[in-house]
Amino acid sequence: MDELENRITELEIQTALQADLMESLNDTIAKMQQTLDLQQAQLRLLYQRMQDKGANGEREAYSLRDEIPPHY
């Protein structure tokens, strides 16, 4: 009987650890999705700036040097 109780206890421990791991992985995936959403928004903004610059009749290539803050 003790052997059966030990096996049940071991299974309960494993189940609890797996549930904790799944929660941790879910949190990690949620954070990664937020990061991906932010990066996609930034990419859209850069793409839009490139399109706007080209639409003004300028054929000059977009450069990050144009984005240098004024204090440099």
Side-chain angles (χ1 to χ4, degrees):
M1 197 64 163
D2 279 342
E3 184 180 333
L4 184 58
E5 286 180 22
N6 288 339
R7 288 179 62 191
I8 291 173
T9 302
E10 187 64 32
L11 288 172
E12 288 175 341
I13 291 170
Q14 288 178 1
T15 302
L17 290 173
Q18 288 176 353
D20 187 45
L21 177 62
M22 287 189 335
E23 184 178 334
S24 175
L25 290 172
N26 189 42
D27 292 344
T28 300
I29 290 171
K31 288 177 187 176
M32 289 175 72
Q33 184 63 48
Q34 289 175 343
T35 301
L36 181 59
D37 290 343
L38 177 61
Q39 289 175 343
Q40 286 176 335
Q42 291 171 337
L43 185 59
R44 274 192 226 87
L45 178 63
L46 285 173
Y47 182 77
Q48 185 63 43
R49 285 185 182 175
M50 288 174 44
Q51 295 298 317
D52 291 347
K53 188 160 189 155
N56 293 336
E58 301 174 9
R59 289 293 165 200
E60 182 180 321
Y62 179 77
S63 172
L64 286 176
R65 291 182 184 182
D66 296 340
E67 302 299 323
I68 295 176
H71 63 277
Y72 279 108

